[in-house]
């Protein structure tokens, strides 16, 4: 099984990286882009025989305690059968 | 006084902190291995600078799970003195021993240079020998020193006199150009409410001998020696 | 699978000539297996075998009283007294940095650091010598940004300060940036480790990162051995893992203390292949390894892939039989992979097995000492005469010399390098006693009075215009930089960056450069203890200028006597040591202001240079000087500006008055060699003059350190006058302004 | 309109980040996690009135030229109506 975890900066927390990317994008002439936010993306591989509930619980906990600093970041995740 | 310097995998200022404690101050100093739990009866614990676990996930994010950090947490709760320098500060934030979080430097580059710090409070055992408003010259060297806390937390920090150092000009003025990383309210260092846990981005251990360009950092260590004993 | 037939096409794809292939067959007495072909291919590559350069490198002086280990090992070792040795070397990572600047530069740093700690030394500093195309081009800005970030990313994380270096910009580097990194370490003299296998039956241990399919260049052929997916899985770029290397560094240093480690070599270029056969060859023994025991990152790797992988952060060591447990335990403590993968054998062969089957068996010496050596043809390039025909009479003075001066302050080749070195942690380990911005970096040795000074130098324009003299100047400048920092030059390392050796004109410049380095190093008593040759720095027919980079190490007997370039106090006398000639060829000024890249480059008289250095050393030794800076690119005007800007006080300035019957631009911006600008209290002026006279060095009082007003007057009129703060501003922020 | 861009390391490229996180996760007792790969995640905001085709084209180009280091990374993206 595969879990995808997305970690993004909370609204209200300045994202200088996103800003820089946005500037680069603009200077390349893509005027359409209004905003860029940069986050992190994780793929976790779990054994195929893990029960979905258990997987959900494990991934949630890992995302909350390890992958995210909840002072500045939010996360969400998806599970996918292999 | 016995200094314990924690060695996480990836710590790289551990020897520097040890050198100051042992050879500049002439005190007792030991390294504390991250996999151990014992603090070996130290009076002061230093979480040194570096890149624990490569700082690959977030600065300090993984180090805080080390066995030694449980003991450091207990030690701090009992009033023991803990200094987190640079990566050590980041670890204290991740561990929740200090409030707030670190973001990437505003300019997104690593920055290594001497900066000026204004001492904002002398009530801590780390700043007892400083004068209020005194300006210290101490270097920074980090990629993630842009301190962030929400408005409520910042208000709390101020209300309880927890801001210990701010970046300033040589004359002690708070100016954007004197802030090397975009940190909120020019914060360079904070302490917990009780004042026994200090986190700071600048490296006092790199400014403890005149040969290295400044000995101002020594005041922080000397303050500790002069302060009445804390917990053990 | 191994029985794939070796076709001429396959041989060619492995960059081996038909003659080389015949030689392989003759050596083995049979057709090689594919794995063996791959092994020969990498070991006989220019990079590993030095087949084009070896005959020339022999002319370098490599011996001296301080040399403990010269070229041939992972790094050079010199005696620095009190039982300590300095271990240092410079390496290039040019091609990888062009493909992927961040990772290319990062893994370059990782590689040279491994070369140092593999010898038992703790690395204490790095320096980086960089060359890029002009910054007007976005691609070059991208490369500079990525390379600097990569060096910072690796060096800062592993905790070794990057304390100095150099950077130049020239169009010839546009498609071929140069990234050379020097690393310096310190060890106990009697605890140096060598890349040598010994003791038949002793276990061979693999430590560090797992092996993946990284950087396997050899073959891109569609063959039975490599299906589509394995092709696709073979990244051309290695990713560095400085955290892993930090652990490896600490674990190795800890393992060395046990006394159980007998020999060790890092796996750099040609990975496991190179370390296995070189360790065997140096020890006069053989090494047998079993590939099944090699820690692997991916499944289904072939022997070819495992032997040729260039995965980073790996080491091979031989350990005293029976003590492997102790060593493995240390690596486990540091959460590192370690495994016994073979043993030392009596036959001088590299013996490789997989699944109980022999996949390669080659005499070590066939891969090392007996690899092909070529005497490539040499031909003096025709361009040399043309570019050395500068006629100064036809060169008009620019309208305003002041304007020219300001342009020079802002020039990419002359302005402050702050934007670069601030991205490097240059203070970690708390030894940096002279910060970047000085002529040389100075590193104290904790617990000793002595300190080390180190610098890199190499002006490619000089060597392009005059390979031999340019190379001599690089050596002279490196020594001079150390001397100006208060040091005694000890020994050198060199990185020779050139286009294709198959071009006789390139080979001629190479031979000339070697002779120039050899002559100058012999004159200054600074033997070459190691280095690196990087050929094929050309893309689409565009060649780089021949660019030798000299890394020089010196000792300061008393760290308190180290010297920096900053003016200290208004009122101090400012003196110029050495003679200014009417020389503008090859200068930064000539190219920047007149658009001419023309010689002849400045003269160099080795005796005069030695005298200048002797005089400066005596003045510093006697404590007479407040500052000292050599005059190099940008000439006297630039040197004076540097001395002002280096002061932490932004109002520190200088007022000088010159009187000389030469072209004004030559006086201001000429790059005559063997000169230095010093400042001192008036009370010392007489003694300074006396020492200069003793050494037959011209010495002229040219002005005084001042406040606020920077002024240069010449033969009665004022050439330059301005508020020093605004000049300083131009110089400090120029690189930032260009890049953002 | 919103675009989500995922940038991941190519197969076979060493992922020190992922490996370090995986180790940490394991030592925290989450034995289920077999592998962790770390990537980047970007959210781009585009005006609502951009045609889907044009948006696709712009995002694709930005992803390829700015967000991804194509020597070692791959990307994929999704468009989402606001
Ligand atoms: N790429 C670089 N990395 C770090 N420091 C650098 C780099 N380039 C230049 N520096 C530092 O900037 C200063 C000026 O360099 P340079 O102009 O080459 O000096 P010099 O002419 O005296 O050799 C030196 O202290 C040098 O170490
Ligand atoms: Mg130089």
């Amino acid at each position: 099984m595969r879990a995808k975890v997305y970690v993004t900066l909370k609204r209200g927390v300045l994202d200088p990286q996103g800003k820089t990317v946005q500037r680069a994008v603009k200077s390349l002439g893509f005027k359409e882009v209004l905003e860029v936010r940069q986050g992190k993306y994780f793929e976790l591989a779990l054994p195929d025989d893990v029960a979905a509930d258990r997987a959900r619980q494990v991934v949630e906990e890992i995302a909350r305690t390890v992958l995210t600093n909840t002072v500045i970041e939010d996360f969400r995740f998806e599970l996918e059968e292999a | 006084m016995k200094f314990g310097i924690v060695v996480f995998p990836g710590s790289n200022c551990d020897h520097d902190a040890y050198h100051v404690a042992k050879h500049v101050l002439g005190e007792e100093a030991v390294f504390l291995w991250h996999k151990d739990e014992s603090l070996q009866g130290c009076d002061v614990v230093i979480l040194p600078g570096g890149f624990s676990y490569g700082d690959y996930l977030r600065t300090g994010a993984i180090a805080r799970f080390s066995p030694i950090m449980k003991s450091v947490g207990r030690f701090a709760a009992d009033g023991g003195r803990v200094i987190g320098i640079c990566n050590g500060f980041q670890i204290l934030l991740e561990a929740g021993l200090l409030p707030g979080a670190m973001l990437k430097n505003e300019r997104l580059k690593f920055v290594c240079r001497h900066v000026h710090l204004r001492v904002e409070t002398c009530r801590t055992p780390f700043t007892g020998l400083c004068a209020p408003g005194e300006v210290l010259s101490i270097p920074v060297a980090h990629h993630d020193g842009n301190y962030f806390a929400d408005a409520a937390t910042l208000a709390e920090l101020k209300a309880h006199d927890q801001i210990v150092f701010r970046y300033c000009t040589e004359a002690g003025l708070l100016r954007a150009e004197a802030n090397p990383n975009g940190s909120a309210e020019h914060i360079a260092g904070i302490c917990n409410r009780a004042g026994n846990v200090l986190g700071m981005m600048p490296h006092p251990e790199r400014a403890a001998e005149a040969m290295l360009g400044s000995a101002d950092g020594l005041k922080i260590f000397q303050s500790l020696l002069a302060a009445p004993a804390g917990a053990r | 699978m191994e029985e794939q037939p070796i076709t001429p096409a396959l041989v060619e794809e492995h960059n081996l000539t038909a003659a080389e292939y015949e030689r392989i067959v003759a050596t083995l007495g049979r057709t090689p297996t594919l794995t063996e072909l791959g092994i020969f291919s990498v070991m006989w590559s220019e990079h590993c075998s030095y087949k084009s350069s070896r005959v020339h490198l022999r002319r370098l002086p490599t011996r001296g009283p301080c040399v403990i280990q010269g070229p041939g090992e992972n790094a050079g070792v010199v005696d620095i007294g009190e039982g300590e040795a300095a271990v240092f070397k410079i390496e290039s990572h040019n091609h990888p940095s062009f493909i992927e600047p961040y990772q290319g530069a990062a893994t370059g740093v990782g590689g040279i650091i491994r070369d140092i700690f593999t010898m038992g030394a703790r690395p204490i500093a790095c320096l980086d010598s960089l060359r890029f195309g002009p910054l007007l081009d976005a691609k070059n800005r991208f490369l500079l940004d990525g390379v600097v970030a990569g060096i910072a990313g690796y060096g800062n994380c592993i905790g070794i300060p990057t304390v100095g270096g150099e950077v130049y910009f020239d169009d010839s580097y546009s498609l071929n940036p140069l990234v050379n990194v020097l690393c310096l370490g310190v060890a106990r003299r009697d605890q140096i480790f060598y890349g040598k296998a010994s003791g038949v039956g002793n276990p061979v241990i693999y430590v560090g990162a797992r092996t993946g399919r990284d950087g396997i260049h050899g073959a891109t052929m569609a063959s039975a051995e490599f299906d589509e997916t394995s092709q696709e899985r073979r990244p051309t770029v290695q990713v560095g893992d400085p955290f892993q290397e930090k652990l490896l560094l600490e674990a190795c240093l800890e393992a060395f203390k046990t006394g159980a480690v007998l020999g060790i070599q890092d796996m750099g270029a040609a990975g496991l292949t190179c370390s296995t056969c070189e360790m065997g060859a140096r020890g006069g023994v053989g090494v047998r390894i079993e590939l099944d025991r090699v820690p692997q990152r991916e499944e289904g790797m072939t022997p070819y892939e495992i032997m040729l992988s260039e995965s980073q952060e790996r080491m091979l060591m031989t350990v005293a039989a029976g003590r492997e447990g102790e060593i493995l335990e240390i690596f486990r403590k540091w959460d590192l992979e370690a495994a016994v993968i073979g043993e030392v054998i009596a036959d001088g062969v590299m013996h490789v097995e997989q699944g109980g089957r022999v996949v390669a068996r080659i005499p070590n010496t066939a891969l090392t000492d007996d690899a092909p050596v070529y005497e490539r043809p040499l031909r003096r390039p025709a361009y040399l005469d043309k570019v050395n025909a500068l006629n100064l009479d036809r060169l008009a003075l620019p309208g305003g010399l002041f304007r020219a001066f300001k342009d020079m302050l802002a020039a990419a080749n002359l302005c402050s390098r702050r934007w670069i070195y601030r991205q490097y942690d240059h203070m970690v380990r708390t030894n940096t006693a002279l910060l970047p911005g000085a002529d040389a970096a100075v590193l104290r040795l904790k617990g000793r009075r002595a300190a080390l000074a180190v610098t890199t130098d190499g002006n490619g324009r000089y060597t392009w215009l005059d390979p031999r003299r340019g190379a001599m100047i690089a050596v002279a400048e490196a020594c001079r930089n150390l001397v100006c920092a208060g040091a005694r030059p000890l020994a050198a390392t060199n990185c020779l960056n050139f286009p294709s050796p198959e071009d006789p004109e390139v080979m001629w410049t190479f031979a000339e450069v070697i002779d120039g380095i050899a002559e100058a190093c012999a004159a200054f008593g600074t033997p070459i203890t190691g280095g690196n040759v990087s050929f094929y720095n050309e893309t689409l027919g565009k060649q780089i200028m021949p660019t030798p980079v000299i890394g020089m190490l010196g000792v300061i007997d008393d760290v308190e006597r180290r010297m920096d370039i900053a003016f200290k106090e208004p009122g101090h006398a400012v003196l110029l040591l050495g003679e200014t000639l009417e020389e503008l060829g090859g200068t930064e000024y000539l190219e920047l202001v007149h658009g001419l890249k023309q010689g002849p480059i400045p003269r160099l008289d080795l005796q005069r240079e030695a005298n200048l250095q002797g005089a400066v050393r005596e003045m510093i030794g006697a404590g007479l000087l407040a500052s000292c800076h050599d005059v190099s690119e940008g000439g006297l005007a630039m040197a004076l500006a540097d001395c002002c800007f280096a002061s932490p006080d932004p109002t520190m300035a200088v007022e000088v008055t010159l009187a000389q019957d030469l072209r004004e631009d030559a006086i201001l911006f000429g790059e005559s060699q063997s000169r230095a600008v010093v400042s001192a209290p008036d009370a010392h002026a007489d003694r300074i003059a006396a020492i200069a006279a003793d050494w037959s060095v011209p010495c002229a009082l040219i002005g005084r350190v001042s406040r606020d007003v920077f002024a240069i007057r010449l033969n009665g009129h004022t050439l330059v006058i301005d508020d020093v703060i605004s000049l300083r501003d131009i110089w400090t922020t120029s690189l930032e302004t260009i890049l953002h």
Side-chain angles (χ1 to χ4, degrees), chain B residues 16 35 56 109 112 209, chain C residues 145 241 333 422 429 444:
Chain B
D16 302 352
K35 288 179 189 168
Y56 287 151
K109 300 266 185 227
C112 177
E209 294 160 274
Chain C
D145 197 71
D241 184 349
K333 169 187 160 191
R422 278 194 173 170
R429 303 200 60 76
R444 69 162 167 184

Side-chain angles (χ1 to χ4, degrees), chain B residues 9 11-12 16 19 33 35 51 53-54 56 109-114 139 141 205-206 209 211-212, chain C residues 145 156-157 159 241-243 246-247 333-335 422-430 444 446 562:
Chain B
S11 292
N12 64 31
D16 302 352
H19 171 75
W33 186 238
K35 288 179 189 168
F51 287 71
Y53 295 91
Y56 287 151
K109 300 266 185 227
F110 190 96
V111 57
C112 177
R113 56 178 270 216
H114 272 273
E205 82 283 12
R206 296 186 185 187
E209 294 160 274
M211 177 183 312
L212 302 174
Chain C
D145 197 71
N156 298 353
C157 181
D241 184 349
F243 169 57
K246 168 69 176 169
L247 302 183
K333 169 187 160 191
W334 288 95
D335 295 321
R422 278 194 173 170
Q423 292 186 56
Y424 301 150
D425 189 337
H426 48 261
M427 303 182 204
V428 61
R429 303 200 60 76
T430 58
R444 69 162 167 184
K446 289 194 180 100
R562 70 194 182 282

Side-chain angles (χ1 to χ4, degrees), chain C residues 165-166 168 439 455-458 477 481 632-633:
Chain C
E166 45 172 4
Y168 290 98
D439 275 335
T455 181
T456 63
D457 283 285
E477 179 173 350
N481 279 341
S632 61
E633 287 94 10

Side-chain angles (χ1 to χ4, degrees), chain C residues 14-16 20 23 39-58 72 269-270 273-274 277-278 364-376 501-502 510 531-536:
Chain C
H14 278 82
N15 267 319
L16 291 163
E20 284 170 344
R23 189 162 163 175
I39 288 170
F40 274 104
S41 159
V42 291
M43 289 308 296
W44 286 10
S45 69
E46 189 64 57
H47 186 74
C48 289
S49 72
Y50 289 83
K51 58 187 167 192
S52 305
S53 54
R54 253 207 264 180
V55 293
H56 299 287
L57 293 175
R58 289 189 191 124
T273 290
C274 186
C277 66
E278 286 192 357
N364 293 320
T365 47
L367 298 170
T368 55
D369 302 340
D370 299 339
V373 170
Y374 295 133
E375 292 231 21
R376 304 253 189 218
E502 293 161 42
F510 184 82
N532 174 247
V533 178
S534 171
F535 277 127
Y536 298 103

Side-chain angles (χ1 to χ4, degrees), chain C residues 622-638:
Chain C
L624 298 176
L625 304 185
S627 74
C628 179
H629 184 25
D630 81 312
V631 179
S632 61
E633 287 94 10
L636 178 58
M638 214 42 233

